[in-house]
Amino acid sequence: MHKHSGPNSSQTDYAQNKQSTSCAGGRDRLIKTDILIIGSGISGLSLALKAAQHFNVIIITKNDAMESNTRYAQGGIASVMAQIDNFESHIRDTMEAGAEINDLKSVEKVVRSGPRLINELLKIGVRFARTRQNIFDLGMEGGHSQRRVLHASDVTGLEVEKKLLLKAKKNPKISILEYHAAIDLIMKRHLKRRQGADRCYGAYALDKKTGRVVTIKAGATVLATGGAGKTYLYTSNPDIASGDGIAMACRAGCRIANLEFVQFHPTCLYDPRAKSFLLSEALRGEGGKLRLVNGKRFMQHYHYRNELAPRDIVARAIDYELKKSGERYVTLDMTHHSRAFLKKRFPTIYKTCLDFGYDLAARPVPVVPAAHYFCGGVKIDLSGRTNINNLYAVGEVTCSGLHGANRLASNSLLESLAFADFVYRDLIKKQQHIKASNNQNVNPWDTGRATDSDELVGITQNWDEIRRMMWNYVGIVRSNKRLLRARARIKIFSDEIREFYWNFTLTPNLLELRNVCQVADLTIRCALKRKESVGLHYNIDYPKPDLNSMKYNIIR
Ligand code: SIN
């Protein structure tokens, strides 16, 4: 859907290098590139670095380039690195966590790529923690039968993001446009002459600093936009996680799958000031115990792995215990470790807790689950291709089949590295086609008769209502009644937001709200379609798994 298209924006084709991406004189800009990557987390950056060996690459990112979900990843990257570990074990753990409805081919391809991709990170200077004997200090997390999580103390994502970004910024073939928020993908309907097969021709983006819209024509476009935690009232994700890629892909005609599988991280700090600060699963990997407020442990009643059961089971157990006891939180007890150990192994978590007045070494800290990760998203194949030509997707924005009904801890950064690599290999095969594919005459963006809104309170209201509704009606435990209520309400929000979108000047806040609303709608539709309880989707009206669980619950 093109908001407004018309002839009154001046447009210029700019050459394909770093200098050409800014435009003097305040005109709306038109940029051409071989590869457009939307998002600057691990997926986008690692793909850009590879693709730049053969192509010109533009990355657009809606904030400072460092600001991505990647940077907040604490736990680490799962990969088979230890002598005693093997691929079969990692594959089995991934399948078990995913309730066996993962796509085995995807699981195998990703897991077996792990060590090679970790070596690539080491080559660009990423430093993972090592023991005194100089072997990797591998962490343990829920659902894993081996220690296999590479980490950089408790700031693994930050370490990876920093090193990738540094490399990308130095690369002359990569341009990074910060504070550019993608609005929509450019499709055939946006061309001046609508002929030929439908495919993706790039994207329109809002330059947040000038308020102008940039038209970016690309031979191939890659969604690397991350997840949609902001759909929920409580989330471990940063504010940027508004499901932009899923929503844009859906509007462009992509198949979307398995959005009912929203992973709630069991342990976020319970404190209104902390904005759901994550207490990494690695804490439980180091023996952390979950306790009720009265001090009693409870995980032994739910799974043989106790606190290290897969996340869906731990989060649901906490939810159940909280509903039973009427308390507002359970606690995570790390007091069996010395202060020195906690400070060394978990420096950021230790300090953040202390800043909020919780001493990890002295007493158990209050924790609650919060929305953490979307296992579903844009359906891709084993090369990261969507069902739209020239459009790829990588990372949390996707449904790649790796996670099945529940993602195994620390498999997400691995998935991003792996699918960035698979996309890269496909791009090389299509090199000639891609280089010849960004010459279409695209309609520039036209703001039409849009005016500044006189009342922004409606936008704030919609944000609050959608997120609270998703938390209450489409949360850890669902029912048909709650899902149907959610469906009725999301229709009202969608209509109101559509009106805002068409009548008023685009703002970054409105763009994100529109996307969050669309992802919420898709999540509700997926949840209603799955008539069973499996993995992360638990519906009290269908409490058992289906004998033939759908591997892909596809919405179009
Ligand atoms: C964590 O550190 O607990 C989060 C890691 C993940 O989501 O896999």
Side-chain angles (χ1 to χ4, degrees):
M1 179 171 55
H2 190 192
K3 188 175 186 188
H4 314 278
S5 76
N8 56 352
S9 300
S10 61
Q11 62 170 314
T12 314
D13 269 43
Y14 286 89
Q16 306 160 5
N17 58 42
K18 281 202 187 235
Q19 291 69 38
S20 70
T21 55
S22 69
C23 171
R27 291 174 303 175
D28 286 351
R29 286 183 290 158
L30 192 146
I31 304 170
K32 257 179 22 176
T33 184
D34 298 331
I35 313 286
L36 168 64
I37 298 175
I38 307 176
S40 61
I42 184 172
S43 305
L45 292 175
S46 58
L47 173 59
L49 288 173
K50 290 183 176 181
Q53 297 169 66
H54 307 272
F55 302 100
N56 291 301
V57 179
I58 288 180
I59 299 175
I60 60 169
T61 182
K62 64 183 178 178
N63 241 301
D64 179 295
M66 269 301 283
E67 186 63 4
S68 64
N69 239 337
T70 302
R71 115 177 233 180
Y72 298 95
Q74 296 178 350
I77 309 181
S79 178
V80 174
M81 305 301 284
Q83 294 277 335
I84 52 159
D85 200 1
N86 57 63
F87 291 135
E88 285 64 37
S89 166
H90 191 179
I91 291 167
R92 209 170 42 247
D93 291 346
T94 303
M95 295 293 294
E96 196 185 313
E100 310 286 337
I101 62 166
N102 325 52
D103 184 334
L104 182 58
K105 286 204 180 100
S106 178
V107 177
E108 287 185 338
K109 196 172 175 192
V110 171
V111 165
R112 290 181 196 282
S113 307
R116 173 174 61 84
L117 298 165
I118 295 297
N119 274 325
E120 289 177 5
L121 285 185
L122 296 174
K123 279 199 190 122
I124 65 158
V126 173
R127 291 163 69 111
F128 293 112
R130 290 177 181 265
T131 63
R132 284 213 185 104
Q133 293 73 36
N134 201 29
I135 54 172
F136 290 118
D137 175 28
L138 298 171
M140 182 66 166
E141 290 185 24
H144 288 276
S145 52
Q146 291 286 347
R147 284 192 168 260
R148 65 165 71 95
V149 181
L150 292 132
H151 64 91
S153 68
D154 58 357
V155 284
T156 314
L158 185 65
E159 165 70 6
V160 173
E161 179 75 16
K162 269 202 301 211
K163 297 286 161 59
L164 288 172
L165 190 56
L166 198 69
K167 276 284 274 174
K169 282 191 168 164
K170 284 188 185 153
N171 192 314
K173 305 278 273 189
I174 301 174
S175 296
I176 304 179
L177 303 185
E178 297 181 308
Y179 299 98
H180 281 66
I183 305 169
D184 264 317
L185 297 168
I186 298 173
M187 304 298 295
K188 188 161 90 176
R189 61 182 175 277
H190 302 122
L191 300 185
K192 293 209 162 125
R193 293 178 62 207
R194 299 177 192 185
Q195 59 186 18
D198 206 4
R199 62 177 175 83
C200 182
Y201 297 91
Y204 295 108
L206 178 68
D207 177 340
K208 289 166 75 172
K209 291 203 166 147
T210 63
R212 290 175 179 276
V213 175
V214 189
T215 304
I216 307 172
K217 297 201 294 185
T221 302
V222 185
L223 298 169
T225 46
K230 274 291 287 269
T231 318
Y232 285 86
L233 187 57
Y234 303 111
T235 174
S236 63
N237 294 181
D239 284 345
I240 51 163
S242 49
D244 305 335
I246 299 171
M248 281 191 294
C250 179
R251 292 194 289 269
C254 277
R255 296 196 294 165
I256 307 293
N258 292 6
L259 282 182
E260 69 277 28
F261 296 134
V262 179
Q263 186 172 75
F264 291 82
H265 197 291
T267 56
C268 289
L269 186 62
Y270 176 81
D271 187 303
R273 298 163 300 166
K275 259 192 122 189
S276 304
F277 176 70
L278 189 69
L279 297 187
S280 174
E281 194 150 314
L283 290 158
R284 278 175 283 132
E286 295 300 340
K289 302 284 180 285
L290 288 168
R291 298 187 188 281
L292 300 174
V293 168
N294 65 15
K296 286 205 174 117
R297 286 180 67 192
F298 55 91
M299 274 314 299
Q300 68 278 13
H301 304 308
Y302 294 91
H303 197 270
Y304 71 96
R305 284 185 165 150
N306 301 326
E307 277 81 359
L308 287 178
R311 262 179 215 171
D312 55 333
I313 293 168
V314 184
R316 218 159 29 241
I318 296 176
D319 187 71
Y320 182 79
E321 293 293 340
L322 292 181
K323 290 201 169 112
K324 198 165 73 172
S325 65
E327 297 290 352
R328 285 162 300 160
Y329 55 83
V330 295
T331 64
L332 179 62
D333 187 355
M334 294 301 296
T335 55
H336 59 290
H337 278 298
S338 68
R339 187 175 303 280
F341 172 85
L342 293 172
K343 273 170 111 166
K344 179 161 189 293
R345 175 66 179 87
F346 301 108
T348 314
I349 295 173
Y350 177 84
K351 179 169 182 315
T352 307
C353 285
L354 210 56
D355 289 347
F356 286 111
Y358 305 102
D359 183 349
L360 215 52
R363 63 191 61 85
V365 292
V367 292
V368 281
H372 181 62
Y373 188 89
F374 274 65
C375 295
V378 183
K379 169 83 178 68
I380 53 167
D381 67 11
L382 292 180
S383 296
R385 293 180 291 223
T386 70
N387 58 303
I388 291 179
N389 285 338
N390 298 26
L391 179 65
Y392 295 79
V394 185
E396 189 177 346
V397 64
T398 68
C399 178
S400 69
L402 173 68
H403 309 309
N406 174 40
R407 176 175 65 86
L408 182 67
S410 287
N411 262 358
S412 52
L413 297 184
L414 177 64
E415 179 190 46
S416 292
L417 289 174
F419 274 90
D421 185 68
F422 307 156
V423 167
Y424 163 66
R425 284 159 197 262
D426 203 68
L427 291 174
I428 305 177
K429 282 192 219 148
K430 297 183 181 150
Q431 200 164 338
Q432 278 185 339
H433 166 71
I434 287 168
K435 284 186 178 282
S437 287
N438 60 5
N439 267 326
Q440 295 293 334
N441 252 326
V442 175
N443 279 320
W445 191 264
D446 180 358
T447 49
R449 289 183 303 280
T451 57
D452 287 345
S453 166
D454 55 348
E455 266 207 344
L456 294 177
V457 66
I459 293 186
T460 315
Q461 179 68 18
N462 273 296
W463 265 115
D464 290 348
E465 284 195 41
I466 291 172
R467 298 182 71 205
R468 188 171 294 280
M469 178 201 74
M470 289 299 284
W471 184 259
N472 287 333
Y473 291 170
V474 199
I476 298 173
V477 175
R478 300 157 182 180
S479 71
N480 283 347
K481 198 159 133 189
R482 287 183 219 146
L483 290 174
L484 288 170
R485 282 190 175 147
R487 187 173 70 181
R489 279 166 176 71
I490 203 73
K491 171 141 188 10
I492 299 170
F493 302 138
S494 305
D495 290 347
E496 264 183 48
I497 292 166
R498 192 171 307 117
E499 207 182 304
F500 271 114
Y501 177 76
W502 283 98
N503 294 338
F504 299 125
T505 312
L506 276 187
T507 63
N509 196 20
L510 177 55
L511 279 185
E512 288 187 346
L513 175 64
R514 177 184 183 227
N515 292 335
V516 153
C517 183
Q518 184 142 18
V519 174
D521 178 41
L522 289 164
T523 306
I524 296 163
R525 284 163 58 194
C526 281
L528 277 164
K529 238 180 104 191
R530 188 173 287 280
K531 302 204 184 309
E532 62 170 334
S533 287
V534 61
L536 294 158
H537 176 67
Y538 190 82
N539 182 336
I540 54 174
D541 293 308
Y542 313 104
K544 297 223 167 75
D546 200 323
L547 283 181
N548 290 308
S549 293
M550 280 183 284
K551 195 172 277 186
Y552 292 111
N553 177 13
I554 290 178
I555 297 274
R556 258 297 310 119

